Amino acid sequence: MRHTSIAILSALLSCAPLTTFAQVEIDDDDDDEEDIEVFDPATGEDEDIALPEGMLTELDSLLIEWNAKSYLIPEGDCTAGENPEFDKDTYIHRLQRLPNVIEMPYNDVVRKMIDLYTGRLRRTVSLMLGTSNFYTPIFEEALEAYQLPLELKYLPIIESALNPSAVSRAGAVGIWQFMITTGKQYGLEVTSLIDERKDPIKASYAAARYLRDLYSIFGDWTLAIASYNCGPNNVRKAITRAGGETDYWKIYPYLPRETRGYVPAFIAANYVMNYYCDHNICPAATNLPASTDTVIVTRNLHLDQIVALCDVPAEEVKALNPQYRTPLIPGDSHACTLRLPTPAMNAFIQSGDSIYNYHATELLTGRKEIEVAQDEVGTRRSKVRNGRRGRSGSRSSAGSTVTVRRGDNLGAIARRNGTTVAKLKKLNGIRGSNIRAGQKLRVK
């Protein structure tokens, strides 16, 4: 089956500079700060809420990704301009202008998150704007397939900062940050050889199904988004503790610390990905990647075999097939998908069986059958034990002869070995009935 590549969208809009500027001040003493302080009107005091892990992703970890190194050109000077300050009404007006189904209200917590994205995280936003051109078409296609609001395409921004290799402290993996149990529940294969949580396409469709199911539980997108972060049980508990309230902002104090910041961060992500120009943030420049095709592999295949015969860099093969945890594609166990650049795919098809046979002995080393070795002492012990059994009338190591014991007769030997006297005579060429102790007789 053939697919076109993840296409880069049309040329990015240029950002027009504004005439007045005033740097927004946020607590930026520690770039690794994991909490932010916000005012809680219910208590009249400031409180700390945890930032989503996608807002803690280091810029360097995004820049080492193959897509970023191959197709993104970070705009070092573009984000150096001052971040203008706007009044509350401007933020409210902009949020209301977004063509969204999901409610996007303004409050102090949302403002804090917007200030983080447009301030301390502005270079990360620049990179995510460029990276989103790779992934947004995938997200939108999956969401549209299940008739979900397209603004959910910004959820991976706060989950992983669009890093397909992201791994959380809790063990969530991939661009949509699936835990292993939830991933398997939604059809993502996770074994020692394969982790489909890292496959942006399969994970996007799994995430769309999961979000659909969460919405069916609560009938509210804000609560569904909160559930994506902390699980539906925690949201139910918060609803119960809030006296049955089903408004996210009313159950807010009863949610886990990170979830209290999660929905505000989602609103802020929607804001910054649409109004970045107004904050003098420029997207990282992008180059168009080569088109790709896919093929179904039904035999074991090694990365080195692909690299050698298809003239494609190993790093590119790994980036296009992130679901494989080792260099082995286990086609013997079940059909597996392989994605390659179109020229490499043509070479793959033309190679036929030769690609599977290339250095197969060295690269595909798993043994299907093996004998258990015995040392010399073990072998001698086996012979001694077999000899003892033979002297007592048991079968020898060959399993077809016995040794006659003192006092034995053909009838007794026949009964012990499940045969007849006539057969014993025939097998051993005995005409009468005389046998002697120590004599070996065939019984089969």
Side-chain angles (χ1 to χ4, degrees):
M1 186 163 123
R2 297 171 66 86
H3 297 273
T4 56
S5 68
I6 303 167
I8 295 295
L9 300 180
S10 57
L12 300 169
L13 297 175
S14 60
C15 297
L18 301 181
T19 54
T20 58
F21 305 92
Q23 184 68 34
V24 175
E25 292 186 7
I26 63 173
D27 184 6
D28 197 16
D29 294 336
D30 183 0
D31 284 348
D32 296 323
E33 187 66 53
E34 297 187 6
D35 298 331
I36 61 171
E37 192 176 81
V38 297
F39 178 73
D40 184 358
T43 62
E45 299 178 352
D46 290 334
E47 67 162 352
D48 290 335
I49 61 174
L51 294 175
E53 290 201 34
M55 299 184 78
L56 304 173
T57 302
E58 295 182 3
L59 191 66
D60 288 346
S61 69
L62 300 177
L63 288 171
I64 64 172
E65 290 298 313
W66 176 79
N67 276 342
K69 290 189 295 185
S70 302
Y71 300 116
L72 296 184
I73 306 170
E75 295 286 354
D77 297 332
C78 185
T79 59
E82 293 185 9
N83 180 23
E85 184 176 6
F86 302 99
D87 59 26
K88 170 182 174 180
D89 290 339
T90 300
Y91 287 111
I92 293 175
H93 178 65
R94 288 175 178 171
L95 286 169
Q96 294 306 305
R97 286 178 55 202
L98 294 174
N100 294 341
V101 171
I102 300 173
E103 186 180 49
M104 299 279 171
Y106 173 89
N107 55 41
D108 290 341
V109 187
V110 172
R111 173 63 182 271
K112 271 282 190 179
M113 296 297 184
I114 291 174
D115 289 347
L116 282 171
Y117 272 130
T118 58
R120 171 155 48 114
L121 300 177
R122 59 196 288 111
R123 286 200 67 218
T124 301
V125 171
S126 172
L127 190 63
M128 288 192 298
L129 285 164
T131 305
S132 68
N133 290 295
F134 300 117
Y135 298 117
T136 294
I138 298 173
F139 301 160
E140 290 182 333
E141 192 173 284
L143 294 168
E144 185 67 21
Y146 291 93
Q147 295 295 292
L148 305 186
L150 294 184
E151 53 267 33
L152 291 167
K153 66 189 176 186
Y154 297 126
L155 206 56
I157 286 178
I158 59 174
E159 283 288 339
S160 63
L162 301 183
N163 181 359
S165 301
V167 179
S168 76
R169 289 166 296 187
V173 170
I175 209 163
W176 285 92
Q177 288 290 278
F178 272 103
M179 296 295 289
I180 188 168
T181 303
T182 309
K184 287 186 173 183
Q185 182 181 348
Y186 283 87
L188 299 177
E189 182 178 1
V190 183
T191 68
S192 297
L193 297 176
I194 296 176
D195 189 348
E196 290 184 336
R197 295 176 296 172
K198 291 186 176 181
D199 185 324
I201 297 175
K202 291 186 177 181
S204 294
Y205 280 87
R209 292 195 301 274
Y210 186 32
L211 287 163
R212 176 200 59 186
D213 291 347
L214 292 173
Y215 180 77
S216 70
I217 294 172
F218 297 103
D220 179 275
W221 277 115
T222 308
L223 295 181
I225 292 168
S227 298
Y228 192 92
N229 176 251
C230 68
N233 286 338
N234 282 319
V235 172
R236 289 192 189 99
K237 290 177 184 177
I239 290 172
T240 300
R241 294 176 64 192
E245 294 284 355
T246 56
D247 184 332
Y248 170 83
W249 300 104
K250 290 183 178 179
I251 70 171
Y252 173 90
Y254 307 104
L255 290 166
R257 288 175 65 249
E258 183 177 329
T259 309
R260 278 179 253 164
Y262 192 79
V263 169
F266 173 71
I267 296 172
N270 273 265
Y271 174 90
V272 75
M273 296 299 281
N274 284 277
Y275 294 110
Y276 54 89
C277 284
D278 295 311
H279 292 269
N280 293 325
I281 300 174
C282 294
T286 55
N287 297 319
L288 185 68
S291 62
T292 62
D293 291 332
T294 60
V295 67
I296 301 302
V297 175
T298 56
R299 297 163 60 181
N300 280 358
L301 185 65
H302 196 280
L303 172 68
D304 290 350
Q305 293 173 311
I306 301 169
V307 171
L309 272 69
C310 299
D311 191 25
V312 59
E315 187 179 17
E316 187 168 2
V317 179
K318 290 178 182 177
L320 292 174
N321 301 275
Q323 67 271 34
Y324 298 116
R325 291 175 136 176
T326 74
L328 177 69
I329 298 175
D332 280 358
S333 61
H334 60 75
C336 295
T337 301
L338 172 65
R339 181 179 292 275
L340 292 174
T342 300
M345 182 58 71
N346 293 336
F348 179 92
I349 294 171
Q350 292 172 5
S351 68
D353 287 344
S354 62
I355 194 166
Y356 297 99
N357 297 330
Y358 178 81
H359 289 192
T361 304
E362 297 85 1
L363 297 174
L364 306 176
T365 56
R367 294 174 291 181
K368 295 181 179 179
E369 184 178 1
I370 189 170
E371 294 182 357
V372 179
Q374 285 188 324
D375 60 24
E376 187 177 347
V377 173
T379 303
R380 287 200 303 270
R381 288 174 179 170
S382 177
K383 289 180 179 178
V384 169
R385 286 194 296 268
N386 287 332
R388 288 173 179 168
R389 283 196 296 268
R391 285 195 298 273
S392 64
S394 302
R395 294 181 183 179
S396 71
S397 59
S400 61
T401 62
V402 297
T403 302
V404 178
R405 297 180 296 190
R406 186 182 300 274
D408 261 344
N409 56 51
L410 290 176
I413 295 173
R415 287 191 296 272
R416 284 200 304 266
N417 293 278
T419 186
T420 65
V421 172
K423 289 182 179 178
L424 285 177
K425 288 184 176 182
K426 184 175 181 181
L427 283 171
N428 296 278
I430 301 174
R431 294 186 178 181
S433 58
N434 292 329
I435 55 174
R436 66 181 184 279
Q439 181 181 353
K440 290 189 180 298
L441 297 177
R442 293 179 60 194
V443 293
K444 288 186 179 179

